[in-house]
Amino acid sequence: MTIAPKLLTAATDLRTSTTAQRFDGHTHGAGVAVSFFLNHTAPGGGASEHRHPYPEVFVLLCGEATFMVGGVQVAAQAGQVLVVPAQATHSFRNSGTGSLEMISIHPAAEM
């Protein structure tokens, strides 16, 4: 039996109605137990306060973001990684002057 890899194109296969592309492990990964967003957020934009039953990892590739995690403000920039604990209320906004390019990783097959 041959197992073939699955190649996806973010702009088409992961397209959403927002500024982020979305990979759901249960849908796109044939049982992969991880999901993620590829965030492309304009200055001032971001995600409102929410929480998950699992931790979330943010990898900042370009730009700056201000996070609120459990009532604590955290400033982060390109080259940094922020880990938000499971159940922690969190939000972020692009606090820079250019696009915020960031990956948010969810260790779950379904978000």
Side-chain angles (χ1 to χ4, degrees):
M1 176 171 81
T2 303
I3 300 173
K6 187 168 188 176
L7 181 63
L8 302 168
T9 301
T12 55
D13 297 319
L14 307 180
R15 182 179 42 224
T16 68
S17 61
T18 68
T19 61
Q21 290 138 341
R22 179 177 175 151
F23 174 92
D24 282 295
H26 79 287
T27 301
H28 300 103
V32 172
V34 69
S35 299
F36 60 84
F37 285 103
L38 302 175
N39 297 287
H40 314 285
T41 308
S48 60
E49 190 173 76
H50 62 283
R51 70 176 64 194
H52 310 284
Y54 47 78
E56 185 172 1
V57 178
F58 294 90
V59 181
L60 284 81
L61 304 172
C62 181
E64 302 169 26
T66 301
F67 292 84
M68 287 298 294
V69 180
V72 176
Q73 184 171 305
V74 179
Q77 61 187 359
Q80 293 184 309
V81 175
L82 175 67
V83 179
V84 174
Q87 300 298 339
T89 302
H90 59 284
S91 63
F92 75 86
R93 70 176 176 80
N94 179 346
S95 51
T97 58
S99 181
L100 171 62
E101 302 295 321
M102 177 174 72
I103 303 170
S104 54
I105 303 167
H106 299 250
E110 190 171 357
M111 293 186 273

